[in-house]
Amino acid sequence: MPSIAVAATDGMPFFELAIPCHVFGTDVFGSGGALGWSADFGPGEALGRGGGFGPEEAFGPVGVVTADSATGRGAGDHRGVGRSRRAAAPTGSARPGDSRGPDGAEWNRRTAPEGWYDLRVCAIDTAEGDARARSWFRARTPYGADDLVTADTVLVPASADVYGDPPRELVDALREAHRRGARVVSLCSGAFTLAATGLLDGRTATTHWGYARLLGERYPAVRVDPSVLYVDHGDVITGAGATASIDVCLHLVRQDFGVEAANAVARRLVAPAHRPGGQAQFIQAPLPERTDDSLAPLLHWAAQRLAEPLTVADLARQAHTSPRTLIRRFHAATGTTPMQWLQAQRIARARELLEASDASVDRVAELCGLGTAANLRRRFTKAVGVPPNDYRRTFRARRVA
């Protein structure tokens, strides 16, 4: 069971803390399971009361704190009215292990894959022993720096202050975790914390595009690429801002449990199953106003025909437009070209086949549209980092372990 430690520090943004807890916690599969920490919400906040998404959607059954929403007092809480103290627990009639939504409709019968993550939220250098996300959310956890150092993967959510220095305790813990062989990952402005450890010196890294220039100025030894979703060096991974955090977490699931598990998590999140790390962070052109301009039908059509030798002309014909117009629309909607998108889909399909079937490399090349085994080896190795046969052996050995 791989262990993941999420470093929680005072003042960090809530969103980047919520994402890994939801993805790596078993509740993403509707199978319940406590994460060993509780939630405490400050006064006057709209979270869970009609503004944005509430803690129920973000975490599932993670705590033991109860709340009286009418009085603002939690069970045993005598600090006065005005503070809503509640556990992040399922709403309505949901129970641990219940995979039904609020309307009674079944979401997903699938349980977490065997050996799913051991997730721990670790409070680092916090004033009261609890990590506060901004001023209104507190993560109460029994885990600290010692638990972070021993984890297989250490994840650093966004920094509370990109202009100041990160906590020395966290910097030391990250260096020690990396020295012990942990995979160290940052989300959004968490790259500033990784840069402070020196682990990014001489490497390419990314962060939220709005912080890229500052990261480069503060840490000139880091090669900052503001245009990509994430950069994976194997032992160190940096991700871009906000929703790119979901892409990074799905990337980790894909590495650890394979394409099928990552796709299952993505379906629960209603998120794209795979966006390559090199895809653009944001698209400057405005989204089309007409809903019938959506490329979704075309993308679905093409994804069902990866084995065919599709060209831009074929795609344009299916979309009832010219190749030039299609390329322009494609880049506006996805940040990439039609053929680059097809290439990424074919590599993803090859990974799935290598994981789930005994088909030969030649057959995999045919089924995913890469033609020959030699072409598959070349393109797969460039995209994934290892040849197809090595990838298959490594993935199957990991599953056995």
Side-chain angles (χ1 to χ4, degrees):
M1 176 182 293
S3 56
I4 286 192
V6 179
T9 57
D10 282 339
M12 69 165 51
F14 174 77
F15 187 71
E16 283 78 6
L17 174 62
I19 288 173
C21 290
H22 186 47
V23 171
F24 301 122
T26 55
D27 54 294
V28 76
F29 287 98
S31 55
L35 304 183
W37 62 292
S38 60
D40 188 359
F41 294 89
E45 295 298 334
L47 188 66
R49 299 185 186 180
F53 69 89
E56 297 84 3
E57 290 83 354
F59 292 98
V62 301
V64 295
V65 182
T66 59
D68 181 344
S69 59
T71 65
R73 284 195 178 96
D77 183 9
H78 302 290
R79 290 173 294 175
V81 177
R83 174 176 296 275
S84 174
R85 189 180 182 212
R86 64 180 67 182
T91 57
S93 60
R95 301 179 300 278
D98 192 350
S99 61
R100 295 182 179 274
D103 60 354
E106 186 168 326
W107 286 349
N108 194 342
R109 286 186 180 275
R110 181 191 178 97
T111 58
E114 185 177 355
W116 191 247
Y117 297 101
D118 169 22
L119 174 64
R120 49 186 91 154
V121 177
C122 302
I124 307 294
D125 192 46
T126 55
E128 303 176 10
D130 303 332
R132 289 186 176 273
R134 298 308 188 205
S135 62
W136 46 265
F137 178 89
R138 178 187 299 175
R140 180 163 298 160
T141 171
Y143 302 114
D146 292 341
D147 303 289
L148 182 144
V149 166
T150 59
D152 299 314
T153 298
V154 178
L155 198 147
V156 184
S159 172
D161 180 9
V162 295
Y163 296 97
D165 295 327
R168 173 52 54 183
E169 183 183 12
L170 177 55
V171 170
D172 291 343
L174 290 172
R175 287 173 176 161
E176 178 62 15
H178 183 263
R179 187 191 67 78
R180 294 169 62 101
R183 177 177 55 183
V184 183
V185 184
S186 69
L187 304 179
C188 194
S189 58
F192 285 79
T193 302
L194 288 198
T197 68
L199 295 177
L200 299 182
D201 288 358
R203 304 199 199 205
T204 301
T206 194
T207 184
H208 190 290
W209 60 267
Y211 297 131
R213 177 178 295 181
L214 179 62
L215 180 63
E217 291 173 351
R218 292 200 60 194
Y219 301 99
V222 181
R223 296 192 296 268
V224 182
D225 185 350
S227 66
V228 297
L229 291 177
Y230 53 88
V231 178
D232 185 352
H233 292 286
D235 60 326
V236 176
I237 301 173
T238 53
T243 57
S245 301
I246 298 176
D247 296 291
V248 174
C249 292
L250 290 175
H251 177 65
L252 298 180
V253 173
R254 194 176 302 108
Q255 288 184 332
D256 296 339
F257 290 93
V259 172
E260 185 179 357
N263 289 348
V265 174
R267 283 195 295 271
R268 290 300 303 271
L269 296 174
V270 196
H274 182 218
R275 291 199 295 171
Q279 182 169 321
Q281 281 196 34
F282 69 102
I283 312 302
Q284 294 193 21
L287 294 175
E289 294 182 2
R290 292 174 52 195
T291 56
D292 60 353
D293 279 344
S294 170
L295 290 176
L298 176 64
L299 300 184
H300 178 76
W301 179 87
Q304 301 301 311
R305 293 166 174 78
L306 294 177
E308 301 177 14
L310 297 175
T311 65
V312 173
D314 294 329
L315 297 175
R317 191 177 306 111
Q318 177 65 22
H320 305 291
T321 188
S322 68
R324 180 177 297 181
T325 299
L326 176 67
I327 292 173
R328 184 173 64 252
R329 285 178 53 197
F330 215 96
H331 191 274
T334 69
T336 188
T337 68
M339 299 313 292
Q340 288 173 338
W341 180 86
L342 273 175
Q343 181 82 349
Q345 299 307 305
R346 285 172 169 149
I347 294 298
R349 177 60 175 155
R351 293 179 66 157
E352 187 175 356
L353 291 169
L354 290 168
E355 293 173 12
S357 78
D358 294 320
S360 67
V361 173
D362 293 272
R363 181 58 176 157
V364 170
E366 293 175 10
L367 292 173
C368 66
L370 291 175
T372 65
N375 189 40
L376 171 62
R377 291 189 188 97
R378 179 170 61 87
R379 296 185 180 278
F380 192 92
T381 302
K382 181 178 180 181
V384 180
V386 295
N389 282 329
D390 289 353
Y391 178 83
R392 172 176 273 167
R393 283 193 295 269
T394 301
F395 179 79
R396 291 187 174 180
R398 187 184 298 149
R399 291 188 69 175
V400 171

